[in-house]
Amino acid sequence: MTAITALTPEQAHARLDKLTVIDVRTPGEYASGHLPGAHNVPLDHLDAALDVLKAAAGRGDLLLVCASGARSAQASQRLTEHGITAATLTGGTTAWNRLGHTLHHPADSRATWAMERQVRLAAGTLVLTGLLAARRWPRTRWISAGVAGGLVFSALTDTCGMARVLAKLPHNRPRATDLEATLAALTD
């Protein structure tokens, strides 16, 4: 790949037929809509796919995609550490969709909420639970304080521990056969 490390949705759309697109979101997020032809290799399974991704990068340019661009940037950094060059999609599938580009929705897959939405629901539920329970048990307000501290830490470090925990839920996990099929397709 050339020195380009990020592609805008317009640039990616124009070159889509020449790119191998790797979507690093959870399988549930991937099922909710992904770039046409994208292969799902969740961020937490990237290490298992390194050899296959290196071979795919040798055949052509890789484009890493997530919902907003944050996880694909993490994936790009991890691939770079292993000598694999890949561009990221600026703004992720959110920007792609906002510009009216097509998202593929597999008929046989179950859709789930985007990880950011799952995090907002979990954080909000924990804060509200802590505040309501504190009316009867004052010490439970620390639940809310802990979540608030976690959100601040998440913003400062551009990481999200809650997203990592939520990604381990069954609806966000790939079935072994899904990942094996994806890796086999990338090998061809």
Side-chain angles (χ1 to χ4, degrees):
M1 180 162 239
T2 61
I4 298 173
T5 58
L7 296 175
T8 66
E10 295 85 1
Q11 291 169 323
H13 188 263
R15 297 181 53 200
L16 195 58
D17 59 333
K18 296 174 183 75
L19 298 168
T20 300
V21 181
I22 307 298
D23 193 318
V24 298
R25 297 176 298 159
T26 67
E29 291 175 290
Y30 173 82
S32 69
H34 56 270
L35 273 66
H39 301 276
N40 186 219
V41 179
L43 183 60
D44 60 343
H45 286 79
L46 202 61
D47 291 337
L50 286 173
D51 291 337
V52 173
L53 292 173
K54 188 171 203 151
R59 294 189 303 271
D61 295 341
L62 293 182
L63 177 66
L64 301 175
V65 179
C66 67
S68 67
R71 284 179 279 176
S72 59
Q74 291 174 9
S76 178
Q77 182 178 356
R78 192 174 311 164
L79 291 181
T80 299
E81 292 167 359
H82 288 91
I84 305 168
T85 304
T88 60
L89 179 64
T90 303
T93 56
T94 302
W96 178 272
N97 191 40
R98 190 177 322 124
L99 292 173
H101 299 309
T102 302
L103 286 177
H104 179 72
H105 301 274
D108 63 339
S109 296
R110 65 187 192 285
T112 193
W113 287 356
M115 186 56 65
E116 182 182 336
R117 187 175 181 192
Q118 292 181 49
V119 168
R120 289 192 315 254
L121 175 68
T125 300
L126 287 170
V127 168
L128 187 57
T129 300
L131 292 174
L132 291 175
R135 296 177 73 196
R136 179 152 169 88
W137 302 285
R139 290 183 184 196
T140 59
R141 71 180 181 275
W142 290 107
I143 294 171
S144 301
V147 172
L151 291 171
V152 169
F153 178 80
S154 175
L156 293 174
T157 62
D158 198 24
T159 62
C160 187
M162 188 176 292
R164 288 185 183 174
V165 170
L166 292 172
K168 296 186 183 306
L169 292 175
H171 66 276
N172 284 325
R173 301 294 297 167
R175 296 185 313 249
T177 54
D178 292 342
L179 186 58
E180 290 168 8
T182 298
L183 297 178
L186 284 168
T187 303
D188 296 337

